[in-house]
Amino acid sequence: MPAFAEEAAWDWRAGDLIFRSGLDPMDDLIAEATQAEFGSVAIVRAGSGGPHVVYVDAEEGVTEAMLGDFVTGLRASDYAVYRLQDMADWGQGDSPISYNALLVAYGQAADRFRLMGGDTYYGAELVYLAALGAGVTLGVPVRLAELAQGHPELEAVFLTDWQEHPYCTYVVSRDDCWDVLKGTAIVTTAGIQGASGLEHLYPLPE
């Protein structure tokens, strides 16, 4: 079924969350380690010409695309849509979550170090903070030590360019840097998708 036909079958609202993979290799690796269904998450917003999607691209940073373009080429099983149940029904008008994503983060760079806060963002962080600004907590941050346990490839990714990491400026070795980083925490798509208060909109189980 064409992407636009799929989108038309789904009664979208501003603030809906779309989960998919293939936007950021690090997101996808974290998803694999956490056994998450998808690596990245985006926010639907109302815009000229139809619904838009705000998300973090590994190269472009916080950007947006038309919803139809965002799901073009994806099968129904390649993405999922959720809605926050306890938010007011904004219909196709701008919602607090989509507004927060644009107001705070649009145009900022992608965060290759996965640090909470600051002026760079990763996908799950963008959605987490946008929802938090609307009074909703989506999931719980997870320590890097827990994420990387049994997944040395993930530890290696977190330590990429460790000499440039803001938290490792004063350490002298890769191991010392990991001793610092392993106690920090990040939000994940697994945590957001598993948060209470989310309604699964698309695709619905048959």
Side-chain angles (χ1 to χ4, degrees), residues 155-177:
E155 178 181 331
V157 168
F158 286 130
L159 285 169
T160 299
D161 297 327
W162 66 268
Q163 298 95 331
E164 301 173 23
H165 198 293
Y167 288 4
C168 294
T169 304
Y170 301 106
V171 302
V172 297
S173 73
R174 185 176 182 276
D175 288 343
D176 289 341
C177 183

Side-chain angles (χ1 to χ4, degrees), residues 15-17 19 37 80-84 193 198-201:
D16 287 348
L17 307 181
F19 294 82
E37 189 176 5
V81 183
Y82 288 76
R83 179 172 297 157
L84 278 72
Q193 193 173 2
L198 288 183
E199 175 188 1
H200 185 189
L201 298 177

Side-chain angles (χ1 to χ4, degrees), residues 124-188:
E125 178 194 20
L126 172 69
V127 172
Y128 180 85
L129 293 179
L132 196 63
V136 179
T137 302
L138 293 176
V140 178
V142 183
R143 291 193 311 124
L144 299 194
E146 182 178 342
L147 286 173
Q149 187 173 5
H151 299 279
E153 73 285 357
L154 196 55
E155 178 181 331
V157 168
F158 286 130
L159 285 169
T160 299
D161 297 327
W162 66 268
Q163 298 95 331
E164 301 173 23
H165 198 293
Y167 288 4
C168 294
T169 304
Y170 301 106
V171 302
V172 297
S173 73
R174 185 176 182 276
D175 288 343
D176 289 341
C177 183
W178 181 243
D179 284 340
V180 174
L181 297 186
K182 67 183 181 182
T184 64
I186 63 171
V187 290
T188 67

